[in-house]
Amino acid sequence: MPYLKIKNLKKSYQNKIVFDNISFNAHKGEFVTFLGPSGCGKSTLLRCIAGLSNIEHGTIILGNKDISSLKPQKRNIGMVFQNYALFPNLNVFENIAFGLKIKKTEKKDREKKVKKMLKLVELEAFAKSYPHNLSGGQMQRVALARSLITKPDLLLLDEPLSALDAKIRKHLRTQIKEIQKELNITTIFVTHDQEEALELSDRIILMNEGKIVQNSDAHNLYLEPQNRFVASFIGHYNILSPKDLDVLNIKHNFKNDIAIRPETIEFCTKGHKVTIMQKILLGSIIRYNVKLQNLHIHIDTLNSAHNNFQEGDEAHILIHMHLAYELVG
């Protein structure tokens, strides 16, 4: 039984449709990510769920309650923004306690809950610190704790990590996932970062131009892209047409374009002859851009002495066609 049901939502600005007929469900305790390029409608959709932006058509059911027309404060939804929105005149303890104070929770109970939340987000030592003395990651954890302490029915995260450096982002997204699991809170996370989405999500809703182009778990989204956009957005797929395969003398039965992941193509001693056009170091991975006749193909290999080619080198590759996926749209 779905916990959150979104049905036929429509939103437009100044006669320009942002999205139309958007529908999906989320289960209790599920971590769902809205993924897609800038301007695809994902943040607007999140704001509509929160009640911060009105919808023109459709329904939003949370639990068994229709919240479509309720004001934001009546929806019992927690939301964390990219800009933290902390109160500069309040310390960490007071910022986290703010929601409970508004609800007129008794002081003793309020202090107990704040201390528990401080421990959960690992900020016990910073209880008396003010926002201007905190790092970006610490401020984001305060914002998260402030949203969680009132026990919302749904947590919405709008690109909360985009302003942080890479090391802090990786640490904080691990923390977010652990906290979300521990509290078993249904969460919707907005990002344009595919690595972030693949790591965090139970399910990913990939959007483009106001439409949901694929709704699946991370594994299937990566391994089985449904169309050319999905394949081009997720995982740096190589996309080849049936004609390309014919030119390369590769036997096949495909009628549509195919997608091949860069890590499933390997260098070998015999095979298709290629020229190394570009070499990109990605830490433990090296990404090669090779030229095969008139085609450019990406190949990902582990960073090691083996197959350590340089730009301009010639090599041979083996394309594992049984790992190719046919694109239907």
Side-chain angles (χ1 to χ4, degrees):
M1 183 74 177
Y3 178 70
L4 173 68
K5 291 182 279 187
I6 305 297
K7 187 175 181 180
N8 301 329
L9 290 197
K10 179 180 179 180
K11 177 67 181 178
S12 61
Y13 286 121
Q14 299 177 344
N15 296 321
K16 181 181 179 182
I17 295 177
V18 180
F19 51 77
D20 191 8
N21 202 33
I22 289 285
S23 299
F24 70 90
N25 298 327
H27 296 285
K28 179 65 178 176
E30 191 174 22
F31 195 112
V32 179
T33 293
F34 293 165
L35 175 66
S38 297
C40 70
K42 56 188 186 297
S43 288
T44 302
L45 178 55
L46 198 77
R47 292 178 65 84
C48 288
I49 296 171
L52 300 174
S53 186
N54 295 327
I55 56 173
E56 294 157 44
H57 183 269
T59 56
I60 303 170
I61 308 294
L62 183 57
N64 293 314
K65 186 177 181 181
D66 187 342
I67 64 170
S68 308
S69 58
L70 293 183
K71 293 181 178 180
Q73 58 269 30
K74 298 291 185 180
R75 299 192 181 198
N76 196 30
I77 291 175
M79 189 162 183
V80 179
F81 297 93
Q82 180 181 338
N83 63 359
Y84 319 133
L86 302 181
F87 301 110
N89 59 319
L90 302 181
N91 63 30
V92 168
F93 190 99
E94 293 165 337
N95 261 285
I96 295 174
F98 183 80
L100 296 177
K101 194 172 182 180
I102 292 297
K103 288 189 172 186
K104 297 182 179 179
T105 305
E106 290 186 6
K107 184 178 180 180
K108 188 175 180 179
D109 188 30
R110 190 165 70 229
E111 289 179 349
K112 182 180 178 181
K113 288 179 177 179
V114 173
K115 287 179 181 178
K116 184 178 179 181
M117 191 57 64
L118 282 166
K119 184 177 181 180
L120 186 66
V121 297
E122 300 178 3
L123 286 173
E124 294 166 289
F126 298 89
K128 295 183 179 180
S129 300
Y130 285 83
H132 67 272
N133 291 321
L134 302 176
S135 68
Q138 289 166 341
M139 285 192 285
Q140 195 57 279
R141 279 183 281 161
V142 176
L144 179 62
R146 188 178 61 184
S147 294
L148 291 172
I149 199 165
T150 56
K151 293 187 176 179
D153 295 323
L154 179 68
L155 178 64
L156 307 180
L157 304 171
D158 190 8
E159 301 202 54
L161 309 179
S162 59
L164 306 175
D165 65 55
K167 185 177 181 180
I168 294 175
R169 282 182 74 159
K170 288 184 178 181
H171 175 67
L172 193 51
R173 70 193 187 203
T174 299
Q175 277 193 313
I176 288 174
K177 184 62 176 178
E178 289 174 351
I179 291 170
Q180 185 265 339
K181 276 188 173 181
E182 183 173 339
L183 299 179
N184 193 37
I185 183 169
T186 307
T187 301
I188 298 181
F189 181 87
V190 166
T191 185
H192 58 266
D193 186 322
Q194 58 172 280
E195 180 183 326
E196 210 161 70
L198 292 170
E199 179 180 336
L200 286 170
S201 312
D202 297 316
R203 190 154 49 86
I204 297 173
I205 294 175
L206 181 59
M207 298 181 64
N208 186 41
E209 297 181 345
K211 299 182 184 300
I212 295 175
V213 291
Q214 189 160 340
N215 179 352
S216 64
D217 61 52
H219 183 266
N220 285 332
L221 184 72
Y222 185 75
L223 291 179
E224 299 181 5
Q226 291 181 357
N227 57 42
R228 177 178 280 268
F229 172 79
V230 180
S232 63
F233 193 84
I234 298 291
H236 302 281
Y237 272 91
N238 296 290
I239 300 176
L240 301 178
S241 68
K243 184 177 179 180
D244 293 331
L245 298 176
D246 292 337
V247 170
L248 297 176
N249 293 318
I250 296 177
K251 293 182 179 180
H252 67 92
N253 295 312
F254 296 116
K255 296 180 180 179
N256 301 298
D257 290 352
I258 62 165
I260 304 175
R261 298 195 311 279
E263 68 271 24
T264 62
I265 301 175
E266 63 176 309
F267 289 103
C268 59
T269 55
K270 290 183 179 180
H272 294 287
K273 189 176 181 180
V274 300
T275 301
I276 309 296
M277 304 301 294
Q278 188 180 33
K279 176 183 179 182
I280 304 172
L281 177 63
L282 301 173
S284 60
I285 298 295
I286 296 178
R287 175 163 296 149
Y288 292 99
N289 177 3
V290 306
K291 188 174 182 181
L292 172 57
Q293 295 190 33
N294 291 321
L295 300 174
H296 284 266
I297 293 176
H298 293 289
I299 304 173
D300 286 354
T301 68
L302 289 175
N303 185 3
S304 65
H306 185 58
N307 292 336
N308 191 8
F309 299 105
Q310 303 302 319
E311 293 179 7
D313 287 351
E314 292 188 343
H316 293 84
I317 63 170
L318 176 62
I319 301 175
H320 293 286
M321 289 302 299
H322 65 286
L323 298 175
Y325 188 81
E326 187 167 16
L327 303 175
V328 296

